[in-house]
Amino acid sequence: MIDRNRYWAGRVVAVTGGSRNIGRAIAQRFAADGAHVVVNGVVPGEAAQAAAEMADAGLDAVAWDADVSDPAQVEAMFSGIADRFGGLDVLVNNAAVTMQGRVPFERLSLDDWDRIFAVNARGTFLCSAAAAPLLRERAGSIVNISSIGASKAHRSAVPYDATKGAIESFTRALALELAPDRVRVNAIAPGAISNDRYENLPQNVQRAEVTSIPLGRAGTGDEIASAVSFLASDQASYITGHVLTIDGGLTAQARQASSEIIIDADGGVR
C-alpha cells in the first residue's frame, strides 16, 4: 500500500492521455504520491486497464474514457470528476496525436491538419476551460505537455509542430488569465522519450536514434513525470507561464552531431 502521508495525498489529479507512455508515467507518479488520479483515454478499455493495474498496486486511480476534442465528452468528464471527488487540484493536458510517419507539407491533407489540431490544440483548450472552475476553487494548477517541436521544427511534421507552438502560446496566455485566481499554468517540452515503440527497436537502431542527444540517451516517462509533479506542486508556487524543456541537451547545442531522427512517446516525431 502507498504511504498516504505523501505530498499529493487526498488531492485530485486528471491526466488526459494517461493510459500510455508519458501520460501513464505521470498518472502513476501522482498516484504513487497519494493522489486520487483520473486516467483519461480514448481507446476503449485502455484507460481501464491502466487504472486497474495501478489499483492492483494499491494506488488510487479511476479510468475515464473521453475524446478530448469533443466538447460534450469533455464536459461530462469534468462534471463526473466534480461529482465523484468534489473538486480538482491538477490538470495535466497530455493527450496528443502525431503524424503516422513524416508527411511533407505538399502532401498534407486538410483532414491531417484538422485531426491533429482537434486533439492537440482544441483538446487542450476544452479540458482547460472545463477544469478552470474547479481549479479556481482550490488554487490548482495546469501542466500542458508540449514538445521541442514548438521551438525547433522537425522536417515533414508541420501540423504537429504547429499544435505544440499553439500549446506554448496558450500556456503563457492562460497563465495571465488565471493568475488572479491563483491558478498556475505551465508546460513541459520533452525531447526524445523512450516508449514502447523505441524499446522494441534493435539496439543499434536505438543508438542511432539518440546520437544527436548530448546525454547520449532517450529520456524516460518517469523523468517527465517528476517535472510535472514539481511544476504542479507548491514548490513551484512562483512559477507560471513557463515552458520547461527536458531533452537531454538536444536543443542547447548549436549543431547536432547527426541527422535529426527523434521519436516521441506516442511513436511520432518531437
Side-chain angles (χ1 to χ4, degrees), residues 5 46 76 121 129 134 162-163 188 201 270:
N5 292 320
E46 194 172 78
L134 302 177
T163 64
I188 286 176
L201 294 172
R270 279 208 190 276

Side-chain angles (χ1 to χ4, degrees), residues 2 34-35 39 83 89 172 193 221:
I2 65 172
V39 181
D83 290 343
D89 296 278
R172 290 185 287 269
I193 305 299

